[in-house]
Structure formats: structure tokens, C-alpha cells
């Protein structure tokens, strides 16, 4: 039965594609034509903003996440409660809502003018910091208590114990999760297009308005994100292998 279904699926798929191909206008993104090359260049011009936005936000979120995670591991109940409250509140707010609130609401509260770029960075970093805090907390708690005792035996204080003993081991363990968060950040950066950030998705939306070819343009957009995320994932895997090699040596 499975052998019969597979050819039928392929035949139906070919029929659908052949029927729709006449309505497709790939000329709008064809690099062989002048207009297509201009359109592709226009779309790719948003790549630098997507990458810059994502990298800036992930760096800030990692730092904030670590600062939130450490009080959550304290013996002080008040500090643990503050850390848990921050994580639960931030995780409960949808990232799109947070982007809109930071861009439109934060300037009214602070009296400061915030650019589209920094509004996106603040919103993405704030949202991701709660997840980073949980990743760091789990990574630090996975380190055996013997490591703390060994650090204490050589008279290391809390800061040096974290810096030289615990965090280097924890980072090796949470690196895959941090890599996943970077991929997540790259994808969520597309939401910043709603406030006018000229990144990949915004460029594609503007091109759709002028060319009226959403299928072809958004297909190219999917491929752009696919290639970008595959490159980042390959880089994270290389870094994982490198750190494992250094650990064995």
C-alpha cells in the first residue's frame, strides 16, 4: 500500500506545481535580469541589520541572563524570589507585544527618544534574558558540589570560584542551548519589522507592496533565513567540537 501511495503523492505534487507554475513570476527575483538583480540586492541589504540586531541583542541578553541567574542560586530567599519573579514576568509577555511596548511606551515613561534599532535590541534582549537566566541556572546547578569544595579548599572566594571554576565548565555544557537561543534570536528579529526596522523581513514586505509577487519574494526570504541559520548552526557545532577538544587536552 505504501508503494502505491508514494507515486500517487509525487504525481499529485507534480500536477499541482505544473498547474501553478504559469502564475508564478520568478522574474522579480531572477538575478539574470536587471530588475531581478536590483530586487535581490534590495532584499539582501537588510541582512546586515538582521545580523547586527541579533548579535547585539544576544550579547546583552547573555550578560543580563547571567546577572539574573546568580541571585537565583543564592541562599537568600529574597534574592531567589526576585530572580524568579523577573523570569516569570518576562517569559509571560509575548515578544511582539514587548517590542511594541518598548518602542511606543518606553519613550513616554523615560522621556528619552529611542531609535528603531535600539528599541528592537532592548525588546529582544529583555525577552531572551529570562530564557538565558534559566539556561545559566541549569548549567551552574549541573556542576558537582565537589568543584565548589575544591575551590573553597584553595581559598577562592565566590567571585573567583564562579569565574575560574564553575562558569567555564557550565558554559561548555550550555553551549548548545546558547546556540539555539542565537538561532531563536535571528528568527525573532523578523518581528522588529513591525516598527519599521529595515531588516530582511521589512525589505521583503516593501518589495511585495511594489511588485505584488508575495509567493516568489517570501520564498526568497525563507531561503535567506535558512542559509543564515544553517551557517550559524554550523558555527556553533564547530565551537562545540573545539571546546570539547580543548577540554580533552
Amino acid at each position: 500500500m505504501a508503494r502505491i501511495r508514494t507515486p500517487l503523492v509525487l504525481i499529485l505534487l507534480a500536477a499541482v506545481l505544473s498547474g501553478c507554475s504559469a502564475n508564478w513570476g520568478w522574474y522579480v527575483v531572477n538575478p539574470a535580469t536587471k530588475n531581478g538583480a536590483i530586487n535581490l540586492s534590495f532584499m539582501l541589504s537588510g541582512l546586515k541589520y538582521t545580523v547586527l540586531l541579533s548579535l547585539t541583542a544576544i550579547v546583552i541578553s547573555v550578560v543580563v541572563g547571567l546577572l539574573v541567574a546568580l541571585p537565583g542560586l543564592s541562599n537568600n530567599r529574597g534574592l531567589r524570589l526576585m530572580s524568579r519573579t523577573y523570569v516569570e514576568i518576562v517569559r509571560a509577555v509575548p515578544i511582539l507585544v514587548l517590542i511594541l511596548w518598548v518602542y511606543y511606551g518606553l519613550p513616554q515613561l523615560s522621556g528619552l527618544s529611542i531609535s528603531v534599532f535600539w528599541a528592537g535590541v532592548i525588546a529582544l534582549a529583555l525577552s531572551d534574558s529570562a530564557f538565558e537566566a534559566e539556561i545559566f541556572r541549569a548549567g551552574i546547578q549541573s556542576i558537582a558540589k565537589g568543584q565548589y569544595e575544591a575551590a573553597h579548599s584553595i581559598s577562592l572566594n565566590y567571585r573567583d570560584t564562579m569565574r575560574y571554576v564553575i562558569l567555564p565548565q557550565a558554559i561548555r555544557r550550555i553551549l548548545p542551548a546558547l546556540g539555539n537561543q542565537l538561532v531563536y534570536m535571528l528568527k525573532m528579529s523578523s518581528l522588529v519589522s513591525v516598527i519599521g526596522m529595515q531588516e530582511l523581513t521589512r525589505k521583503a514586505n516593501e518589495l511585495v507592496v511594489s511588485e505584488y509577487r508575495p509567493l516568489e519574494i517570501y520564498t526568497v526570504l525563507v531561503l535567506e533565513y535558512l542559509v543564515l541559520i544553517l551557517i550559524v548552526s554550523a558555527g556553533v557545532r564547530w565551537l562545540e567540537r573545539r571546546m570539547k577538544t580543548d577540554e580533552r587536552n
Side-chain angles (χ1 to χ4, degrees), residues 144-216:
K145 291 183 179 180
Q147 298 293 317
Y148 293 91
E149 296 171 355
H152 181 71
S153 68
I154 57 176
S155 301
L156 290 181
N157 56 30
Y158 177 79
R159 185 183 65 180
D160 289 340
T161 299
M162 283 292 173
R163 181 179 178 183
Y164 296 112
V165 180
I166 305 303
L167 285 180
Q169 297 180 68
I171 288 175
R172 287 191 178 95
R173 297 185 180 186
I174 66 176
L175 186 59
L178 294 179
N180 288 336
Q181 286 304 113
L182 177 56
V183 171
Y184 171 81
M185 189 72 74
L186 286 167
K187 293 190 290 185
M188 291 302 102
S189 66
S190 62
L191 296 177
V192 186
S193 63
V194 301
I195 58 174
M197 182 68 188
Q198 294 294 314
E199 41 71 64
L200 288 174
T201 303
R202 181 73 179 190
K203 292 290 186 179
N205 290 339
E206 292 179 358
L207 195 58
V208 167
V209 172
S210 62
E211 295 288 353
Y212 303 103
R213 286 292 179 180
L215 173 61
E216 296 80 2

Side-chain angles (χ1 to χ4, degrees), residues 35 70 77 86 106 122 130 156 200 224 231 239:
N35 187 58
L70 292 178
R77 184 177 180 182
Y86 175 89
L106 192 58
I122 292 171
L156 290 181
L200 288 174
E224 287 176 333
I231 292 173
L239 187 58

Side-chain angles (χ1 to χ4, degrees), residues 51-64 121 124-125 128 132 178-185:
V51 174
L52 183 61
L53 177 70
S54 302
L55 289 179
T56 306
I58 195 71
V59 169
I60 295 174
S61 69
V62 166
V63 174
V64 175
V121 167
L124 291 176
D128 190 61
E132 299 288 354
L178 294 179
N180 288 336
Q181 286 304 113
L182 177 56
V183 171
Y184 171 81
M185 189 72 74

Side-chain angles (χ1 to χ4, degrees), residues 7 17 37 45 53 58 67 71 76 95 103 105 117-118 127 178 180 185 217-218 239 241 246:
L17 291 178
S45 65
L53 177 70
I58 195 71
L67 294 178
N76 187 305
I95 188 169
Y103 185 63
F117 176 82
W118 283 108
S127 177
L178 294 179
N180 288 336
M185 189 72 74
I217 293 170
Y218 287 135
L239 187 58
R241 292 194 299 269
D246 292 343

Side-chain angles (χ1 to χ4, degrees), residues 6 16-17 41 60 87 225:
T6 302
V16 171
L17 291 178
S41 178
I60 295 174
V87 170
Y225 277 108

Side-chain angles (χ1 to χ4, degrees), residues 30-49:
N30 185 356
T33 65
K34 181 179 179 180
N35 187 58
I38 292 174
N39 288 339
L40 284 176
S41 178
F42 177 78
M43 291 184 66
L44 288 172
S45 65
L47 178 61
K48 62 180 179 181
Y49 294 106

